[in-house]
Amino acid sequence: MHMADALLSPAVGGTMWAVAAGASVYSAHKVRQELDEKKVPLMGVLGAFVFAAQMINFTIPGTGSSGHLGGGLILAALLGPYAAFLTMASILTVQALFFADGGLLALGCNMVNLGMMSCFVAYPLFYKPLMRKPSPRKIFWGSMIAAVAALQLGSAGVVLETWISGVSQLPLGIFALLMQPIHLAIGIVEGLISAAVISFVWKARPEIVERTAAGESYGPIVLQPVISGFLTAALIIGGGLSWFASTHPDGLEWSVFHASGQEELEAKGGIYDILARWQEKVALLPDYGFKKPSDAGKPVQEETPAWPAVDGGTSVAGLAGGALTLALAVFLGYGIRWCKGRSV
């Protein structure tokens, strides 16, 4: 559900950038107040894990569409909402800058739709109330309800943002009727995955889930096994399992095509061209693969994508992206801690 710049007007994109920046500053302030030093390495490895997991699109049967894990609920359940939002912001920033996944103008929207809806709405309203005394059943239903709610809210946000932007190719009613059902299906899968991951951590270190839900520090919990587990999973998923991503378009791309008849909408001129050129320069592995030589002037040949897509570029992108996300999230965590120490 990563939006492209062509889906937004500069005014809407800029406004959502301001909203996301405000949420980031507020989250940093809250993390600065409550920061548990043990949480910082976990922010990094969970960011790397979610980055890698987002590379694997799963097919939605009977639709010709696919979806991928958002991961916001997993982050919030294990880190708390504020550290989770900063971690999700790190993931989305790395994706946009180095992999051209999501537009730069749309980065604020993506942070709101994928981060704020999970961390600040679905988590406190639907998941956290069930976690006063966690149990496998409560974790399952809390994860399912919160994941579906987050995806429905996020997809509704996409629809409203494009409508307010005046994207005439995407009529409000038709686009909503396409976006909401397909993201309901994606949300159900996300709920199952989130429940499985949170349950795994709860069985291994129940204090993490319990203390996070209670807003408490990790205390004397030994986190090394959990950190090692998520780091190993990130390496395996990013380095190899990412080859098995579905070749179908994701829910947003599928909805755009069926609403407009175009696989991608284009916006040219002004800020769009400036941001596109800048993103092209900084994106080292666009679309999670090695840059290809220009095919300008050559006839276009339609090829059926291979599956699994065994590609060294994908593996490099998965590992590099995980490492960059880990580094950025840890930098933010320790930077906030350093600022707190300087102010004491």
Side-chain angles (χ1 to χ4, degrees):
M1 198 165 62
H2 294 63
M3 295 182 73
D5 288 348
L7 299 179
L8 296 168
S9 67
V12 172
T15 299
M16 299 307 285
W17 254 94
V19 172
S24 299
V25 171
Y26 180 71
S27 294
H29 172 71
K30 296 294 289 185
V31 168
R32 182 181 175 186
Q33 289 181 327
E34 63 189 32
L35 184 63
D36 181 351
E37 185 176 350
K38 286 187 174 182
K39 188 175 288 186
V40 176
L42 193 56
M43 287 173 62
V45 296
L46 281 173
F49 169 77
V50 170
F51 177 95
Q54 286 191 6
M55 293 179 66
I56 304 181
N57 280 42
F58 46 82
T59 297
I60 305 300
T63 66
S65 178
S66 68
H68 63 73
L69 181 73
L73 181 62
I74 293 174
L75 296 174
L78 302 181
L79 296 170
Y82 306 110
F85 179 77
L86 292 176
T87 303
M88 180 60 76
S90 300
I91 296 166
L92 294 169
T93 299
V94 168
Q95 288 172 335
L97 286 178
F98 300 108
F99 303 95
D101 188 5
L104 296 181
L105 178 64
L107 182 56
C109 288
N110 290 328
M111 288 184 182
V112 170
N113 299 334
L114 286 167
M116 289 181 64
M117 295 305 177
S118 294
C119 299
F120 299 146
V121 182
Y123 171 76
L125 293 183
F126 302 105
Y127 175 87
K128 191 175 179 179
L130 294 174
M131 293 301 113
R132 293 186 178 92
K133 292 182 179 180
S135 68
R137 179 174 295 182
K138 288 181 178 180
I139 290 173
F140 174 80
W141 285 111
S143 299
M144 290 295 296
I145 295 169
V148 168
L151 264 291
Q152 288 296 286
L153 290 168
S155 59
V158 173
V159 172
L160 290 174
E161 288 150 9
T162 57
W163 176 63
I164 296 171
S165 294
V167 181
S168 59
Q169 300 97 315
L170 301 175
L172 178 64
I174 295 173
F175 195 36
L177 286 173
L178 290 165
M179 283 286 287
Q180 300 309 120
I182 199 67
H183 283 92
L184 173 61
I186 296 170
I188 291 172
V189 178
E190 167 132 8
L192 293 172
I193 296 172
S194 299
V197 172
I198 296 168
S199 294
F200 175 80
V201 175
W202 184 71
K203 290 176 181 178
R205 288 289 185 273
E207 302 91 342
I208 294 177
V209 176
E210 294 167 358
R211 288 175 178 267
T212 300
E216 300 173 353
S217 67
Y218 290 156
I221 304 172
V222 178
L223 295 178
Q224 189 58 46
V226 175
I227 291 174
S228 298
F230 277 112
L231 183 58
T232 301
L235 292 171
I236 293 172
I237 295 170
L241 293 184
S242 53
W243 294 344
F244 294 87
S246 171
T247 58
H248 293 307
D250 70 16
L252 175 55
E253 294 168 340
W254 178 89
S255 299
V256 168
F257 174 74
H258 283 82
S260 68
Q262 304 174 54
E263 292 186 0
E264 292 184 4
L265 302 184
E266 292 188 7
K268 296 182 179 180
I271 188 67
Y272 298 103
D273 287 348
I274 294 171
L275 291 175
R277 287 195 297 269
W278 198 75
Q279 189 175 41
E280 184 178 358
K281 290 179 180 179
V282 299
L284 303 177
L285 294 162
D287 297 322
Y288 302 99
F290 295 128
K291 288 186 177 181
K292 298 177 181 179
S294 175
D295 293 326
K298 297 181 181 179
V300 177
Q301 296 181 349
E302 294 291 336
E303 297 182 1
T304 301
W307 191 91
V310 180
D311 186 345
T314 302
S315 297
V316 171
L319 297 175
L324 287 168
T325 303
L326 188 154
L328 180 55
V330 168
F331 173 80
L332 285 175
Y334 280 122
I336 292 169
R337 179 174 174 271
W338 179 80
C339 291
K340 181 178 181 178
R342 296 276 293 182
S343 65
V344 174

